Amino acid sequence: GESVGLHLPTLSVQEGDNSIINCAYSNSASDYFIWYKQESGKGPQFIIDIRSNMDKRQGQRVTVLLNKTVKHLSLQIAATQPGDSAVYFCADPSGSARQLTFGSGTQLTVLP
Amino acid sequence: EAGVAQSPRYKIIEKRQSVAFWCNPISGHATLYWYQQILGQGPKLLIQFQNNGVVDDSQLPKDRFSAERLKGVDSTLKIQPAKLEDSAVYLCASSTSGGSSPLHFGNGTRLTVT
């Protein structure tokens, strides 16, 4: 089964609002997590990653929070823009050879 | 830095025909992956190469799928014979150091089997 899974398959937010996309993982030994953004017709694009020795990491308009106690991570997008509309995946190298395993994705729709 | 290149972009074939996809990873990336992404799902790993050796092919349907990475650079993925359920986007990705660094994906080949 999946090592990582997203909570909601779809999320709609108003332009300018903040977005929060959640992800749960099952393997307590997971030590590295990556968020990807996939626009229609394109391959997944790396957004941000976080290692398990951190609780929070910030990028440009994005923040990832990691809660190891409840095995949960979230991606926060500040001031969501129309260009943020895409499917977002969390992933972790949970395979035996540290293969990257993807969740099912959350479709983010930005409303005007 | 040039990204991961894949071709063709689209392919339509009839069931039982064969098809091949090509991938050129980012220069210097030792690890190469092929993923299958069915509509509405996350990518699923088919095979992982480290240089020209196979690290994991446990989810590759070996009765019909094959992949090679000659000389540790370019890679090809072949399906023979294709089935209707093989309709998907086939994504190639590369990374510098396996599961401890981000994967960089190409835009994929969309395969339709009729």
Side-chain angles (χ1 to χ4, degrees):
Chain A
E2 286 185 348
S3 172
V4 289
L6 284 144
H7 289 180
L8 293 174
T10 62
L11 176 66
S12 296
V13 298
Q14 293 292 139
E15 181 178 353
D17 287 352
N18 297 334
S19 303
I20 300 176
I21 301 172
N22 295 303
C23 183
Y25 63 96
S26 58
N27 185 357
S28 56
S30 292
D31 59 359
Y32 181 55
F33 303 90
I34 311 175
W35 281 98
Y36 284 91
K37 171 186 179 183
Q38 187 173 27
E39 296 175 270
S40 180
K42 296 185 178 180
Q45 177 188 5
F46 170 80
I47 303 174
I48 191 168
D49 57 3
I50 188 168
R51 301 194 186 273
S52 59
N53 60 351
M54 303 172 69
D55 297 324
K56 179 179 179 180
R57 191 169 188 211
Q58 288 184 294
Q60 187 177 14
R61 282 201 306 118
V62 295
T63 300
V64 56
L65 299 177
L66 176 62
N67 185 330
K68 294 180 285 293
T69 302
V70 295
K71 292 188 281 190
H72 176 274
L73 66 159
S74 64
L75 178 71
Q76 300 178 4
I77 304 174
T80 311
Q81 302 169 0
D84 295 326
S85 291
V87 178
Y88 289 81
F89 295 97
C90 60
D92 76 331
S94 57
S96 58
R98 293 184 64 81
Q99 306 94 324
L100 207 60
T101 303
F102 285 79
S104 52
T106 290
Q107 172 72 58
L108 175 66
T109 302
V110 181
L111 305 172
Chain B
E1 171 180 82
V4 176
Q6 290 189 248
S7 67
R9 192 76 176 87
Y10 304 94
K11 190 73 177 178
I12 301 174
I13 62 172
E14 296 182 350
K15 59 183 178 183
R16 291 188 290 275
Q17 287 186 323
S18 61
V19 64
F21 313 125
W22 174 82
C23 172
N24 181 238
I26 293 173
S27 178
H29 281 196
T31 313
L32 184 146
Y33 311 77
W34 284 101
Y35 280 82
Q36 179 193 59
Q37 187 174 26
I38 293 172
L39 187 65
Q41 299 181 16
K44 184 187 86 171
L45 180 69
L46 292 175
I47 189 167
Q48 176 183 348
F49 291 94
Q50 180 71 21
N51 297 309
N52 61 349
V54 175
V55 173
D56 179 49
D57 62 358
S58 58
Q59 298 194 76
L60 187 74
K62 299 181 188 62
D63 58 332
R64 299 184 300 107
F65 286 64
S66 64
E68 60 183 10
R69 191 184 183 196
L70 299 176
K71 301 180 181 178
V73 182
D74 293 6
S75 177
T76 56
L77 176 69
K78 297 178 182 177
I79 307 175
Q80 181 181 9
K83 293 185 176 181
L84 296 176
E85 59 260 37
D86 298 331
S87 293
V89 175
Y90 290 85
L91 295 162
C92 180
S94 68
S95 70
T96 55
S97 58
S100 299
S101 61
L103 272 62
H104 299 267
F105 284 84
N107 285 327
T109 297
R110 180 175 297 278
L111 173 67
T112 302
V113 182
T114 62

